[in-house]
Amino acid sequence: MLYAIISTDVEHSLPKRQSARVEHLQRLSDLQAQGRLILAGPHPIIESNNPESAGFSGSLVVAEFETLEIAKAWADVDPYVNAGVYSQVIVKPFKQVFPK
Protein backbone atom coordinates (compact mmCIF):
# COMPACT_ATOMS: atom_id res chain seq x y z
CA MET A 1 0.00 0.00 0.00
CA LEU A 2 1.07 3.58 -0.53
CA TYR A 3 1.65 5.93 2.40
CA ALA A 4 2.08 9.71 2.54
CA ILE A 5 4.74 10.96 4.92
CA ILE A 6 3.97 14.61 5.56
CA SER A 7 6.61 16.47 7.56
CA THR A 8 6.65 20.00 8.95
CA ASP A 9 9.95 21.78 9.51
CA VAL A 10 11.01 23.67 12.61
CA GLU A 11 11.70 27.35 12.01
CA HIS A 12 15.04 28.14 10.38
CA SER A 13 15.60 24.49 9.48
CA LEU A 14 17.88 25.06 6.48
CA PRO A 15 21.23 24.52 8.29
CA LYS A 16 19.87 21.33 9.86
CA ARG A 17 18.60 20.15 6.45
CA GLN A 18 21.96 20.80 4.88
CA SER A 19 23.79 18.82 7.56
CA ALA A 20 21.67 15.68 6.97
CA ARG A 21 20.79 16.05 3.28
CA VAL A 22 23.18 13.43 1.84
CA GLU A 23 21.93 10.71 4.18
CA HIS A 24 18.29 11.74 3.69
CA LEU A 25 18.60 11.59 -0.10
CA GLN A 26 20.37 8.22 0.07
CA ARG A 27 17.39 6.67 1.87
CA LEU A 28 15.07 8.05 -0.79
CA SER A 29 17.38 6.74 -3.52
CA ASP A 30 17.24 3.31 -1.89
CA LEU A 31 13.41 3.37 -1.98
CA GLN A 32 13.54 4.44 -5.62
CA ALA A 33 15.94 1.61 -6.50
CA GLN A 34 13.48 -0.81 -4.90
CA GLY A 35 10.67 0.61 -7.07
CA ARG A 36 8.76 1.82 -4.00
CA LEU A 37 9.12 5.62 -4.26
CA ILE A 38 6.29 7.47 -6.02
CA LEU A 39 7.44 11.03 -5.29
CA ALA A 40 9.38 13.03 -2.75
CA GLY A 41 10.34 16.62 -2.21
CA PRO A 42 10.32 19.66 0.04
CA HIS A 43 7.84 22.52 0.31
CA PRO A 44 9.70 25.79 -0.43
CA ILE A 45 8.75 28.66 1.86
CA ILE A 46 8.58 31.00 -1.13
CA GLU A 47 7.26 30.41 -4.65
CA SER A 48 10.55 29.24 -6.13
CA ASN A 49 12.14 25.95 -7.09
CA ASN A 50 15.36 27.32 -5.59
CA PRO A 51 14.36 29.24 -2.44
CA GLU A 52 17.99 29.58 -1.29
CA SER A 53 18.14 31.04 2.22
CA ALA A 54 14.33 31.24 2.54
CA GLY A 55 14.43 27.48 3.03
CA PHE A 56 11.60 25.01 3.32
CA SER A 57 8.50 24.52 5.46
CA GLY A 58 8.32 20.74 5.23
CA SER A 59 8.45 17.69 2.99
CA LEU A 60 6.26 15.09 1.33
CA VAL A 61 7.17 11.49 0.56
CA VAL A 62 4.75 9.06 -1.07
CA ALA A 63 6.07 5.51 -1.08
CA GLU A 64 5.02 1.90 -0.83
CA PHE A 65 5.34 0.03 2.46
CA GLU A 66 3.86 -3.25 3.68
CA THR A 67 2.03 -1.68 6.64
CA LEU A 68 1.39 1.64 8.33
CA GLU A 69 3.63 0.56 11.20
CA ILE A 70 6.53 -0.13 8.82
CA ALA A 71 6.00 3.23 7.11
CA LYS A 72 6.03 4.99 10.50
CA ALA A 73 9.15 3.12 11.58
CA TRP A 74 10.89 4.14 8.33
CA ALA A 75 9.88 7.79 8.84
CA ASP A 76 10.96 7.76 12.50
CA VAL A 77 14.60 7.10 11.63
CA ASP A 78 14.92 9.59 8.78
CA PRO A 79 18.16 11.59 9.07
CA TYR A 80 16.09 14.80 9.04
CA VAL A 81 14.26 13.56 12.16
CA ASN A 82 17.56 12.80 13.86
CA ALA A 83 18.95 16.24 12.86
CA GLY A 84 15.94 18.06 14.33
CA VAL A 85 14.64 19.33 10.98
CA TYR A 86 11.04 18.30 11.58
CA SER A 87 8.68 19.49 14.29
CA GLN A 88 5.99 17.03 13.18
CA VAL A 89 5.72 13.94 10.97
CA ILE A 90 2.36 12.48 9.94
CA VAL A 91 2.16 9.11 8.18
CA LYS A 92 -1.10 7.97 6.65
CA PRO A 93 -2.39 5.69 3.90
CA PHE A 94 -2.52 7.20 0.41
CA LYS A 95 -4.62 6.14 -2.57
CA GLN A 96 -3.14 7.20 -5.89
CA VAL A 97 -5.82 8.10 -8.43
CA PHE A 98 -3.75 10.05 -10.97
CA PRO A 99 -1.64 9.49 -12.90
CA LYS A 100 -2.90 6.00 -13.64
Side-chain angles (χ1 to χ4, degrees):
M1 169 145 210
L2 295 180
Y3 294 90
I5 301 169
I6 307 156
S7 306
T8 303
D9 282 24
V10 298
E11 287 191 43
H12 311 292
S13 63
L14 191 56
K16 293 177 181 183
R17 277 180 169 270
Q18 291 168 334
S19 73
R21 187 170 193 268
V22 171
E23 294 86 3
H24 173 76
L25 293 179
Q26 183 58 56
R27 292 181 83 229
L28 293 170
S29 292
D30 292 346
L31 277 181
Q32 184 177 24
Q34 297 166 16
R36 297 171 41 209
L37 182 65
I38 304 303
L39 65 89
H43 302 286
I45 289 177
I46 61 173
E47 291 185 54
S48 172
N49 284 326
N50 189 9
E52 298 181 7
S53 63
F56 302 94
S57 63
S59 299
L60 171 65
V61 174
V62 177
E64 184 177 350
F65 294 93
E66 291 182 22
T67 66
L68 178 60
E69 292 75 26
I70 292 171
K72 285 181 178 181
W74 185 89
D76 285 346
V77 295
D78 189 285
Y80 280 179
V81 170
N82 296 332
V85 172
Y86 298 142
S87 63
Q88 180 182 29
V89 177
I90 297 169
V91 181
K92 55 187 175 179
F94 180 82
K95 179 178 174 16
Q96 182 176 354
V97 176
F98 290 101
K100 293 182 178 187

